[in-house]
C-alpha cells in the first residue's frame, strides 16, 4: 500500500506549551515546522495549569536562582539531575521576561512589576523562610501561556495539523529518528511525516489512574511510540499525587488556595499538617501532603460517612480574596463538590496529577539512551520536552509552578539545539523500506480482530488495577500481583476489537490506539515501581519506608522488550555551583 | 456523516472539568437536540476552554442570548 509522505525540517507531536514553545523557536528561525495535535492547540492540557510559573524575580521578597535550585533538588528528593536543574533555574527570569515581551498578561504589582505569590516548596536562603516565586496570570496562567504561544506561532507560519494523532516513530537501521507515522482523524488516512528533527511534546499519561486530575487526552502517546521503537522510559515509578483533588471526581484544587492561606482539616477539625510538616505545614511538598492525607484517612480521621476524605478550608480568607485571587476554584467547588467555599470547606483526596518520569533526555532536549556504547548516547534526530520527557528536573517529586517553567525553558532549549543540529546535518536521511510497517500491522490487527475485548472495558480494568496496586502508598505483595495483572491487561489491550471499521472520523479506532499507549505506560510504571525497594519522593513503599541513597540514588530505565530494567547514575554535578548532597528531606 | 463522533471528539478538552461536564451532556442530552441546538452546541465547542467554562459556571454571559436555553442544560448537568 502506498502511503502519502510529506517532508518537514521538524515535526513536533503535541501542541501544548512545550511543543509550541519549541515550534516558535524553530519557525522564527525560518525552519519548516509541522505541529501535530489530537485537539485544537489551545485545548491542550497546559490550559489546566493554574498556579503559575516559578522564577526568582524577587519582586515581592528577596530571591535568587540558587535558592530556587536548592528547593528543586530537595523537592526532587535528590533524584533530579543537578546540571539540568541549574540550567532551568538560571534561565527562569529570562524566559519569564520573554513571555512578558510576547504579550503574556501576567498579574502586576502596584509598581508595575510582575506580581508573585508564595507556593509550596519554595524557600529563601536554602530552606529558610517561605519564598514568593510564582508568577501568575490570575488562576489561568496556562491558558494565557497557550494563547500567547499559539498566536505567535500562527504569525511565524508554524503549520498545525489539528485532529491528527501520532502513531509510531520512524527509525532507521542506525537507530536515527526520521519522523513519525500519523493518522488524520477526518479521513482515517495514515501519512509519513519525514523530518530532520522529531520532537515529542505529548504531555502526561495520568489517565492510567482511576482518580486523576488529567484531561481525557492525556494518554501518554509519545511514551507508547517511544517504547515501541526501542527507546527506554526513565523513572516511571514516580507519579505525583496532588493532595487536593475534589473528592469523587478528581478535578484539581490548585495549591494557590493554600498559597493564599487556605489549610487542611481532619474530622476533628485539627490542622493535621502541623504534625507532618511543622515548619512548612500546608505548603510542604505535594508528596508530603498527599501522604499526610492518606495517613489521616488510614488512621480513621477522614471526614464524611465513609471517613475517606479531608477538608480544605478557605472561608476565613473572605469572599473578596476568594473572588479576586481564586475565582475558578470557587466555581469548581460549587460544580463538582456542591459546596460554596466562601461558606464551607471543600472535600478533597490525593489524586494522580503529574508524571515525573518519561522519555530520557539531556538538558538540550535531546533524547539519550544506552543503545550503542555509552549510557546516555544521543538518539540522533529525536527530542522530547515537557511532561513526556524526563530531563530530569523533577526527580522523584515535582514542585508546583516548576512544570510551566520546565516546558518553556526546555521547549526553547530544544528548539535552539535543533537549529544547531540541522546546521550540521541539513539533509533528510533516506527513509527505510519498512517505514510504516509497524503502524500498518497494528492497524491491520485492529481491523481484523474477531472475538476481541472492548476498549472501554480494558481501559477501565487498567485504571482500576493501577489505582489499587500502584497508588499513593505501595505494598510489596500488591505490586507483585499488579505486575501480573497489568501484564494481562496489556495482553487484552493487544486484542481489542472495534465494531466501527469505517475510515472517516472513527473515534473508536483512535481510542483503541490510545489504549495501546496507556498500556505501555502502565506496564512501565508497575514494573519500575515493583523493583524500587525504597521510598523516595512520590514513590512510597510500605515495606521500605526510608530513602536508600546507597542502593537507589539512580534513575530507572525500563525497556519494553522483555520488560527489562536497567539503571543509570543521577547527575549530581551541577554546571557551575557546588553539588547539593543528599540530606534528609524535612519541611 | 459521523456528527456524533465529531461532537464527542470536540468534547475532548484541556480541562478535565469540561471533559466531565461535556461527557455528561453527551450521554444525557445530545441525542435529543434539535438541529438548531446542534448548531449552537457546535458554536459553544469552538470556544476556548476557559470561555466555555466561564459560561458553564455562569461567570460570563453568552454574547448571543438565544444560546441560553442550551447553556442552561449544560449548566445543570
Amino acid at each position: 500500500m502506498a502511503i502519502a509522505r510529506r517532508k518537514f525540517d521538524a515535526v513536533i507531536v503535541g501542541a501544548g506549551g512545550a511543543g509550541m514553545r519549541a515550534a516558535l523557536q524553530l519557525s522564527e528561525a525560518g525552519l519548516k515546522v509541522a505541529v501535530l495535535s489530537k485537539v485544537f492547540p489551545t485545548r491542550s492540557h497546559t490550559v489546566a495549569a493554574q498556579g503559575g510559573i516559578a522564577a526568582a524575580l524577587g519582586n515581592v521578597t528577596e530571591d535568587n536562582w540558587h535558592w530556587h535550585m536548592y528547593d528543586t533538588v530537595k523537592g526532587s528528593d535528590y533524584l533530579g539531575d543537578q546540571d539540568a536543574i541549574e540550567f532551568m533555574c538560571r534561565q527562569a527570569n529570562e524566559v519569564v521576561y520573554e513571555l512578558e515581551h510576547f504579550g503574556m498578561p501576567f498579574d502586576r504589582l502596584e509598581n508595575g512589576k510582575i506580581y508573585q505569590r508564595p507556593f509550596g516548596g519554595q524557600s529563601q536562603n536554602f530552606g529558610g523562610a517561605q519564598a514568593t516565586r510564582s508568577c501568575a496570570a490570575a488562576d489561568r496562567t496556562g491558558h494565557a501561556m497557550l494563547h500567547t504561544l499559539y498566536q505567535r506561532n500562527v504569525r511565524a507560519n508554524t503549520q498545525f495539523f489539528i485532529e491528527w494523532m501520532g502513531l509510531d516513530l520512524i527509525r532507521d537501521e542506525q537507530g536515527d529518528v526520521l519522523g513519525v507515522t500519523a493518522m488524520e482523524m477526518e479521513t482515517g488516512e495514515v501519512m509519513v511525516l519525514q523530518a530532520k528533527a522529531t520532537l515529542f511534546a505529548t504531555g502526561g499519561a495520568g489517565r492510567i489512574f482511576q482518580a486523576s486530575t488529567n484531561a481525557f487526552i492525556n494518554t501518554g502517546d509519545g511514551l507508547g511510540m517511544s517504547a515501541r521503537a526501542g527507546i527506554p522510559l526513565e523513572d516511571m515509578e514516580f507519579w505525583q499525587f496532588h493532595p487536593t483533588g475534589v473528592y469523587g471526581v478528581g478535578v484539581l484544587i490548585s495549591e494557590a488556595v493554600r498559597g493564599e492561606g487556605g489549610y487542611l482539616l481532619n474530622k476533628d477539625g485539627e490542622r493535621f499538617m502541623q504534625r507532618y510538616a511543622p515548619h512548612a505545614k500546608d505548603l510542604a511538598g505535594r508528596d508530603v501532603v498527599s501522604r499526610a492525607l492518606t495517613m489521616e484517612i488510614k488512621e480513621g480521621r477522614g471526614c464524611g460517612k465513609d471517613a475517606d476524605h479531608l477538608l480544605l478550608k478557605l472561608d476565613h480568607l473572605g469572599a473578596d480574596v476568594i473572588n479576586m485571587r481564586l475565582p475558578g476554584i470557587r466555581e469548581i467547588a460549587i460544580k463538582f463538590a456542591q459546596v460554596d467555599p466562601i461558606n464551607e470547606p471543600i472535600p478533597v483526596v490525593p489524586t494522580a496529577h503529574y508524571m515525573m518520569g518519561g522519555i530520557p533526555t539531556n538538558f538540550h532536549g535531546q533524547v539519550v539512551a544506552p543503545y550503542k556504547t555509552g549510557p546516555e548516547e544521543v538518539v540522533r534526530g529525536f527530542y522530547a520536552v515537557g511532561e513526556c520527557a524526563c530531563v530530569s528536573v523533577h526527580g522523584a517529586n515535582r514542585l508546583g509552578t516548576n512544570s510551566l517553567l520546565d516546558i518553556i525553558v526546555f521547549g526553547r532549549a530544544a528548539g535552539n539545539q535543533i537549529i544547531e543540529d540541522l546546521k550540521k546535518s541539513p539533509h533528510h536521511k533516506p527513509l527505510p523500506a519498512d517505514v510504516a510497517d509497524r503502524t500498518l500491522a497494528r492497524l491491520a490487527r485492529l481491523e481484523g480482530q474477531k472475538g476481541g475485548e472492548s476498549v472501554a472495558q480494558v481501559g477501565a480494568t487498567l485504571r482500576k488495577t493501577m489505582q489499587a496496586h500502584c497508588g499513593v502508598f505501595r505494598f510489596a505483595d500488591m505490586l507483585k500481583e499488579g505486575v501480573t495483572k497489568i501484564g494481562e491487561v496489556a495482553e487484552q489491550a493487544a486484542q481489542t476489537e472495534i465494531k466501527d471499521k469505517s475510515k472517516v472520523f472513527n473515534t473508536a479506532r483512535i481510542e483503541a490506539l490510545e489504549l495501546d499507549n496507556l498500556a505501555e505506560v502502565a506496564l512501565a510504571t508497575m514494573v519500575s515501581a515493583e523493583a524500587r525497594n525504597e521510598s523516595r519522593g512520590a514513590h512510597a513503599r510500605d515495606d521500605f519506608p526510608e530513602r536508600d541513597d546507597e542502593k537507589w540514588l539512580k534513575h530507572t530505565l525500563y525497556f519494553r522488550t522483555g520488560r527489562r530494567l536497567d539503571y543509570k547514575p543521577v547527575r549530581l554535578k551541577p554546571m557551575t555551583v557546588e553539588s547539593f548532597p543528599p540530606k534528609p528531606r524535612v519541611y | 456523516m459521523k456528527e456524533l463522533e465529531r461532537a464527542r471528539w470536540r468534547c475532548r478538552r484541556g480541562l478535565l472539568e469540561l471533559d466531565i461536564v461535556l461527557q455528561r451532556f453527551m450521554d444525557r442530552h445530545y441525542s435529543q437536540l434539535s438541529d438548531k441546538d446542534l448548531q449552537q452546541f457546535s458554536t459553544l465547542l469552538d470556544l476556548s476552554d476557559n470561555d466555555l467554562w466561564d459560561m458553564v459556571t455562569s461567570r460570563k454571559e453568552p454574547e448571543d442570548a438565544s444560546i441560553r436555553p442550551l447553556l442552561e442544560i449544560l449548566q445543570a448537568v
Side-chain angles (χ1 to χ4, degrees), chain A residues 38 43 45 140 143 163 185-186 212 214-216 327 331-332 335-336 500 502 504 507 510 514, chain B residues 2 5-6 9-10 12-17 19 45-46 48-50 53-54 57 59 74-75 77:
Chain A
K38 291 198 288 190
R43 288 176 209 154
H45 192 51
R140 300 192 159 178
H143 175 257
E163 294 180 345
M185 296 187 198
E186 184 56 48
S212 169
N214 282 200
F216 294 171
E331 279 129 21
I332 286 166
K335 189 94 191 157
F336 296 106
D500 181 1
S502 62
V504 172
T507 50
I510 297 294
E514 286 180 330
Chain B
K2 294 284 187 118
E5 281 83 355
R6 253 181 264 268
W9 192 260
R10 279 157 205 171
R12 291 265 210 130
R13 313 299 291 199
L15 293 176
L16 175 64
E17 292 88 316
D19 276 340
L45 290 183
D46 282 342
S48 78
D49 275 42
N50 279 305
W53 180 243
D54 281 346
T57 52
R59 191 169 161 188
L74 266 171
Q75 286 165 350
V77 294

Side-chain angles (χ1 to χ4, degrees), chain A residues 222-391:
Chain A
L223 282 78
M225 287 190 268
S226 298
R228 283 193 296 276
I231 306 282
L233 300 179
E234 181 175 345
D235 292 343
M236 290 303 293
E237 60 271 46
F238 297 101
W239 284 82
Q240 180 169 80
F241 288 79
H242 197 289
T244 55
V246 174
Y247 172 62
V249 283
V251 172
L252 178 108
I253 302 289
S254 165
E255 245 127 1
V257 170
R258 283 169 287 139
E260 297 285 351
Y263 52 79
L264 291 155
L265 296 175
N266 63 18
K267 73 163 183 181
D268 303 324
E270 183 205 1
R271 282 191 72 172
F272 58 88
M273 279 313 301
Q274 296 180 131
R275 272 188 279 119
Y276 296 91
H279 191 62
K281 300 188 187 77
D282 296 84
L283 287 175
R286 285 180 178 163
D287 57 330
V288 175
V289 184
S290 283
R291 275 200 295 283
L293 268 82
T294 309
M295 284 308 289
E296 288 300 296
I297 293 169
K298 216 172 142 199
E299 290 173 3
R301 290 187 293 275
C303 305
K305 69 172 169 46
D306 296 323
D308 58 355
H309 61 270
L310 282 309
L311 296 173
L312 178 59
K313 177 178 154 64
L314 59 156
D315 58 280
H316 58 283
L317 300 178
D320 287 350
V321 170
I322 293 173
N323 283 325
M324 194 166 66
R325 295 260 183 245
L326 307 162
I329 277 134
R330 183 177 174 212
E331 279 129 21
I332 286 166
I334 293 171
K335 189 94 191 157
F336 296 106
Q338 290 83 45
V339 300
D340 184 342
I342 287 179
N343 308 312
E344 277 180 274
I346 310 171
V348 293
V349 284
T351 305
H353 182 52
Y354 187 89
M355 172 178 79
M356 269 75 70
I359 305 161
T361 71
N362 60 24
F363 63 79
H364 307 294
Q366 296 168 300
V367 175
V368 291
Y371 77 103
K372 281 182 183 167
T373 50
E376 292 192 310
E377 195 134 333
V378 170
V379 180
R380 272 187 299 179
F382 193 26
Y383 308 79
V385 182
E387 191 169 343
C388 76
C390 183
V391 49

